[in-house]
Amino acid sequence: MIESLQSILDQPWKPVSRPMLVAWLMFYVGFLGYAFSAHGGFLFIDSANLVVHEGGHNLFSWFGPTLCLWGGTLLQWLVPFLLAAYFFTQRQTTGFVFCLFFFFENWLYTATYMADARAQVLPLVTTGDPDFVEHDFYAIFSSLGVLNHDTQIAAVVRLLGWCGMIAVVAWLASRTIAGSERCKSAISLPIQNPENILNQRGRREKRVHPKAVCKVR
């Protein structure tokens, strides 16, 4: 397994052109501004996150009530993370960054849900019987004995989500710019005249090592 991972790491990342980098940066910066202006509110991408979240409850319900409770958040985080892992193995730069970016965006959505554990003012969605709907993080934090710290935990998760999104975008920009600089350096290297190379090779072939010369008496 270590050898296979090393073989992946030895492969170069797929290059990203400058125009494509600019377009992606505009998208990410625009989304970060949009998310910041929402002040922890519901983002349009959270509609997709909600579908995956509810699907996680149904999927993990096969493994008992505890995993059923945690399953919504687990699948919600796993889907973009596993997609990012796939693009990592393929060295697809933009696909890897996109999935990892929205993996961390999910942390903002989760943080909003966490902060609501005691207040419970958010509308709850369920695929089961609405009479038995339960707030995930009220139950999780209550079982862990940290219910009174719901907002503090949510603040830490939200901060990590923001740091992750910004770090991913910064990595994309730095890697693309560094790759472009390496390409420019390679292009600017002096190229010798083919005739000079052949002449130098001919002179080397005419040289004879001293030890190979036989002394004649």
Side-chain angles (χ1 to χ4, degrees):
M1 175 148 181
I2 296 177
E3 293 180 357
S4 61
L5 179 60
Q6 187 61 46
S7 66
I8 292 172
L9 295 176
D10 291 339
Q11 296 296 320
W13 285 95
K14 299 294 190 298
V16 180
S17 66
R18 282 295 181 93
M20 186 176 292
L21 172 64
V22 171
W24 277 115
L25 289 180
M26 289 176 61
F27 168 76
Y28 289 124
V29 171
F31 186 90
L32 289 171
Y34 162 64
F36 182 79
S37 64
H39 301 292
F42 196 82
L43 307 179
F44 72 87
I45 191 66
D46 292 333
S47 297
N49 296 335
L50 177 61
V51 173
V52 177
H53 181 97
E54 293 304 317
H57 287 305
N58 293 333
L59 176 63
F60 285 96
S61 64
W62 293 90
F63 304 101
T66 301
L67 276 178
C68 177
L69 180 62
W70 286 79
T73 301
L74 286 176
L75 191 65
Q76 178 187 327
W77 287 14
L78 273 175
V79 167
F81 180 80
L82 292 178
L83 287 172
Y86 168 76
F87 286 116
F88 175 83
T89 62
Q90 302 299 309
R91 311 309 270 173
Q92 291 284 352
T93 307
T94 54
F96 170 72
V97 170
F98 182 84
C99 294
L100 198 60
F101 180 88
F102 283 103
F103 164 73
F104 285 111
E105 186 280 330
N106 268 279
W107 292 35
L108 307 186
Y109 177 76
T110 301
T112 299
Y113 198 10
M114 288 177 168
D116 187 59
R118 282 178 296 172
Q120 297 194 32
V121 296
L122 293 176
L124 300 180
V125 178
T126 181
T127 57
D129 191 336
D131 293 333
F132 297 97
V133 64
E134 183 179 31
H135 194 294
D136 292 357
F137 285 100
Y138 176 84
I140 291 171
F141 289 162
S142 296
S143 64
L144 297 175
V146 294
L147 182 61
N148 291 332
H149 302 283
D150 56 352
T151 54
Q152 292 95 325
I153 297 171
V156 172
V157 172
R158 188 181 305 279
L159 176 62
L160 292 175
W162 276 105
C163 291
M165 289 191 295
I166 294 171
V168 167
V169 175
W171 179 86
L172 171 65
S174 62
R175 171 160 289 278
T176 303
I177 294 172
S180 299
E181 293 299 326
R182 284 194 296 269
C183 290
K184 288 181 181 178
S185 299
I187 294 172
S188 62
L189 288 175
I191 300 176
Q192 289 188 343
N193 190 321
E195 293 182 0
N196 294 337
I197 296 174
L198 291 174
N199 292 335
Q200 292 175 5
R201 184 179 301 171
R203 286 196 296 269
R204 284 198 298 270
E205 290 174 352
K206 291 179 181 179
R207 293 174 186 167
V208 180
H209 198 279
K211 292 183 179 179
V213 177
C214 297
K215 293 182 179 179
V216 179
R217 295 183 180 181

